[in-house]
């Protein structure tokens, strides 16, 4: 007799097992019609799930009660649409072999092997969508069936897909005793795929969809294995939501930091230098330096001390921290001294043996640093500290290196070498709460100054069932509670996500939504009881005894490369004045006003502004267009009448008409104030008064 507890706290009692769909129907016909899935004790499931014991139940519909699309509903719709797309592709390309097809935050993809047959191209998208529309119109049910693992493996072997066999073997290794399939229709009659689910009840519940793009991928992400075709698509509950998404994507293309970075000469990626390694050009360097100056000013106010550390460190440093060898897949290979390499070669040491000896610690070497924290730890340990010295706040714009797969590298947002605005705070346990609040206030200041006011907070906790996390569970409990308490002070929604902690401690991540609604994970703050333990750090307490400090890791920008890549897209390359590489361009209408233009330019430069002077023979409209193409915040147009009255005709980027005239001194002082106040007062605003 299951008792079903609904989200509002009400209960429904049944005298026999019941499906979630039946519960929805009992609540109301409208809910039953809208339902696409359910959550049973917090787990997303099919609507056909049988409820045989007491549980908490929530019915999933495309719209949340408070409005807006439901993320769980989108997951179900997209997962189901991925199956429909795969079926359509196999109808058109019978030789296609499916690998896997997960839903994503903005859509879904399916990796497919065409094994030497005709491969798919963008020209096939319309035909695929037409087939998908037929499948949706047939309104066939998504039917789940299971087999014992052994019997299921026999079925897959008879079908001959090594990809599906591998998927099943991994499921069994993870503890599955049965394998499940989903048929779009009747098992044994209609199309089916090995899948854990869940899905919407029928294909007719899929609203609007589109096949988006193609990319190359590799089986298991390994470049030495089968090359696959990744087909991307997206799906929404309604055509209007799909249309809005496509408009957003079009806007995103206009804001693509890779395109704007080249157009505005902000950064360069050179194949001779290497993939994922950013060359900061003069314009981009200005943006980066202004951000560094901004945060450095705040760090000085909060009592931070800047340090500098090398780009490499001994392997033993990272063995102690735990970064090596446990995270070697995301690290560059160790660097071994020439003499030692020569001796190993003479011994006939194989690559495999070398890797084993490195892992066991029998061979030492150096590592391009994947993290700054071990270096900062050794700086703290280099001097004795009293409880009166605490907290010790060390900061550095430190460059670190991670080995990313070639296919995963993208512009500035996924790179192999990046600079963190990193800091590590060593404090007493009674200081943790205040230090966390100081870190969070810094993040809030940055986002507020840059107009990135819409963000959510994610508290990453350990997964108690994972062996990834190190240290005393009691210390983890204290660190996690400190993060929860600090997150509550921010006044914005936050979620707790088990399994998202760093291996040494829980963290608070900031997920920022940009002006077109995309989410970016940027700043982070982490509480760490474990690395001080691993490195045996101490300070002398008031009792004259050694005590273990707590360590806080924080990086408000995160990676400067990633942050500025996101910032380029957030502002569509049109930076606010204080960040703009070129802040104002002075343009004489003719030679008659050239001297006055030079005087204005010199006055702006004397105020520390990044001003340029366009003395070319182009017509003034051409000069204005060139400045607009480079997204220069202000143009100062001067002619003979301006010179006579010591006036400036002011134009602002993004505003087609002249703002109007402004006095020489007022314009110079106004721009200087806009720069120094970081936009709290603006020249544009003065014309609206």
């Amino acid at each position: 007799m299951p008792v079903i507890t609904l989200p509002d706290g009400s209960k429904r009692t049944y005298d026999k097992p019941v499906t979630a769909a039946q519960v929805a129907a009992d609540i109301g016909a409208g809910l039953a019609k809208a339902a696409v899935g359910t959550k049973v004790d917090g787990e997303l499931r099919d609507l056909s799930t049988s409820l045989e014991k007491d549980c908490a139940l929530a019915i999933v519909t495309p719209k949340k009660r408070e409005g807006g699309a439901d993320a769980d509903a989108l997951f179900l719709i997209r997962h189901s649409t991925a199956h429909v797309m795969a079926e359509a592709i196999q109808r058109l390309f019978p030789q296609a072999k499916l690998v896997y097809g997960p839903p994503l935050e903005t859509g879904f993809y399916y990796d497919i092997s065409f094994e030497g047959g005709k491969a798919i191209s963008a020209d096939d998208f319309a035909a695929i969508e037409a087939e998908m529309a037929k499948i949706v119109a047939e309104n066939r049910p998504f039917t789940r069936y299971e087999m014992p693992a052994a019997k299921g493996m026999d079925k897959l072997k008879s079908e001959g897909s090594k990809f599906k066999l591998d998927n099943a073997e991994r499921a069994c290794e993870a503890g599955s005793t049965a394998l499940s399939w989903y048929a779009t229709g009747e098992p044994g009659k209609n199309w089916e795929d090995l899948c854990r689910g869940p899905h919407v009840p029928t294909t007719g519940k899929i609203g609007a969809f589109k096949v988006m793009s193609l990319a190359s991928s590799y089986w298991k992400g390994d470049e030495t294995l089968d090359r696959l075709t990744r087909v991307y698509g997206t799906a929404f509950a309604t055509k209007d939501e799909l249309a809005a998404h496509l408009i957003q994507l079009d806007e995103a293309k206009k804001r693509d930091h890779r395109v704007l970075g080249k157009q505005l000469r902000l950064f360069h990626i050179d194949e001779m230098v290497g993939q994922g390694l950013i060359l900061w050009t003069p314009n981009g360097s200005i943006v980066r330096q202004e951000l560094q100056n901004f945060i450095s000013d705040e760090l000085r106010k909060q009592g931070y001390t800047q340090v500098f550390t090398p780009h490499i460190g001994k392997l033993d440093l990272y063995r102690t921290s735990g970064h090596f060898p446990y995270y070697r897949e995301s690290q560059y290979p160790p660097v071994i001294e020439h003499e030692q390499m020569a001796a190993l070669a003479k011994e006939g040491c194989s690559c495999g043996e070398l890797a084993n000896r490195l892992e066991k610690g029998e061979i030492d070497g150096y590592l391009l640093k994947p993290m700054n924290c071990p270096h900062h730890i050794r700086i703290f340990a280099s001097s004795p500290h009293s409880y009166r010295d605490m907290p010790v706040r060390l900061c550095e714009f430190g460059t670190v290196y991670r080995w990313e797969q070639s296919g995963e590298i993208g512009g500035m947002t996924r790179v192999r070498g990046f600079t963190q605005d990193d800091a590590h705070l060593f404090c007493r346990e009674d200081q943790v709460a205040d230090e966390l609040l100081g870190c969070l206030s810094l993040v809030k200041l940055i986002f507020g100054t840059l107009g990135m006011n819409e963000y959510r907070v994610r508290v990453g906790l350990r997964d108690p069932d994972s062996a990834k996390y190190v240290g005393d569970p009691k210390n983890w409990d204290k660190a996690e509670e400190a993060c929860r308490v600090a997150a509550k002070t921010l006044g914005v929604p936050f979620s707790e996500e088990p399994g998202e902690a760093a291996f040494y401690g829980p963290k608070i991540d900031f997920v920022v939504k940009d002006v077109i609604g995309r989410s970016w994970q940027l700043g982070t703050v982490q509480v760490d009881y474990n690395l001080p333990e691993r490195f045996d750090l101490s300070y002398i307490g008031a009792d004259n005894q050694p005590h273990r400090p707590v360590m806080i890791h924080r990086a408000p920008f995160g990676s400067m490369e990633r942050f500025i890549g996101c910032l380029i897209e957030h502002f569509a390359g049109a930076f606010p004045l204080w960040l703009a590489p070129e802040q104002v361009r002075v343009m004489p209408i003719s030679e008659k006003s050239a001297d006055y233009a030079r005087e204005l330019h010199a006055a702006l430069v004397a105020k520390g502004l990044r001003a340029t002077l366009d003395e070319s023979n182009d017509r003034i409209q051409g000069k204005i267009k060139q400045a607009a193409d480079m997204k220069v915040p202000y143009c100062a147009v001067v002619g003979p009448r301006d010179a006579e009255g010591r006036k400036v005709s002011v134009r602002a980027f993004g505003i087609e008409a002249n703002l109007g005239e402004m006095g020489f001194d007022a314009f110079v002082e106004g721009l200087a104030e806009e720069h120094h106040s970081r936009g709290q007062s603006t020249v544009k605003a003065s014309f609206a008064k």
Side-chain angles (χ1 to χ4, degrees), residues 491-532:
V492 297
F494 75 91
S495 60
E496 295 185 11
E497 300 191 18
E500 290 299 316
F503 76 92
Y504 46 75
K507 59 181 180 173
I508 303 172
D509 290 331
F510 292 81
V511 182
V512 180
K513 187 172 283 190
D514 68 14
V515 291
I516 60 171
R518 296 168 306 175
S519 294
W520 304 93
Q521 194 274 304
L522 297 175
T524 187
V525 180
Q526 303 167 359
V527 180
D528 180 6
Y529 280 79
N530 289 308
L531 287 184

Side-chain angles (χ1 to χ4, degrees), residues 85 88-89 92-93 120-134 209-214 231-232:
M85 184 184 75
I89 289 172
L92 298 169
F93 300 85
I120 192 174
S121 75
D123 294 337
D124 300 307
F125 288 180
I128 294 168
E129 289 172 357
E131 287 297 322
M132 292 171 69
K134 292 177 188 176
F209 54 83
K210 187 171 181 60
V211 182
M212 300 296 295
S213 61
L214 300 172
V231 188
Y232 284 98

Side-chain angles (χ1 to χ4, degrees), residues 9 106 121 131 152 170-171 236 255 258 292-293 303 370 375 392 404 420 432 439 441 458 527 585 614 652 654:
T106 58
S121 75
E131 287 297 322
R170 282 189 284 169
F236 289 85
R255 294 168 176 267
R258 294 164 296 185
Q292 290 188 190
N293 292 345
H375 294 252
V392 174
E404 299 282 1
Q420 294 177 306
V432 170
C439 293
S441 71
R458 180 174 64 206
V527 180
R585 190 175 294 187
D614 185 350

Side-chain angles (χ1 to χ4, degrees), residues 369-392:
K369 68 175 175 180
M371 294 282 190
N372 296 304
C373 38
H375 294 252
H376 291 188
I377 286 170
R378 298 311 299 163
I379 290 176
F380 177 84
S382 66
S383 302
H385 297 281
S386 157
Y387 70 98
R388 294 188 184 89
D389 302 326
M390 310 298 273
V392 174

Side-chain angles (χ1 to χ4, degrees), residues 6 36-37 45 132 146 154 157 174 192 206 219 244 251 260 271 320 360 409 475 536 540 577 610:
L6 301 175
V36 293
R45 305 280 291 276
M132 292 171 69
E146 290 188 356
D154 288 341
K157 287 173 185 174
E192 64 180 35
I206 294 169
W219 189 24
E251 182 64 25
L260 289 171
E271 284 299 319
T320 303
K360 291 176 182 177
I409 293 171
N475 285 338
D536 194 25
I540 300 302
L577 182 86
R610 296 183 289 275

Side-chain angles (χ1 to χ4, degrees), residues 85 100 102 104 108-114 120 125 213-221 227-233 407-408:
M85 184 184 75
Y100 27 62
L104 305 169
F108 58 87
Y109 71 79
Y110 228 111
D111 277 349
I112 300 173
S113 171
F114 289 92
I120 192 174
F125 288 180
S213 61
L214 300 172
S216 291
S217 63
Y218 295 93
W219 189 24
K220 302 181 183 180
R227 190 183 185 95
L228 308 172
T229 299
R230 180 165 292 179
V231 188
Y232 284 98
E408 295 175 346

Side-chain angles (χ1 to χ4, degrees), residues 473-493:
K474 292 180 182 177
N475 285 338
W476 272 94
D477 291 341
K478 288 187 284 187
E480 289 179 343
E481 184 58 22
C483 286
R484 286 190 189 96
V485 171
K488 288 175 184 175
T489 69
L490 290 166
V492 297

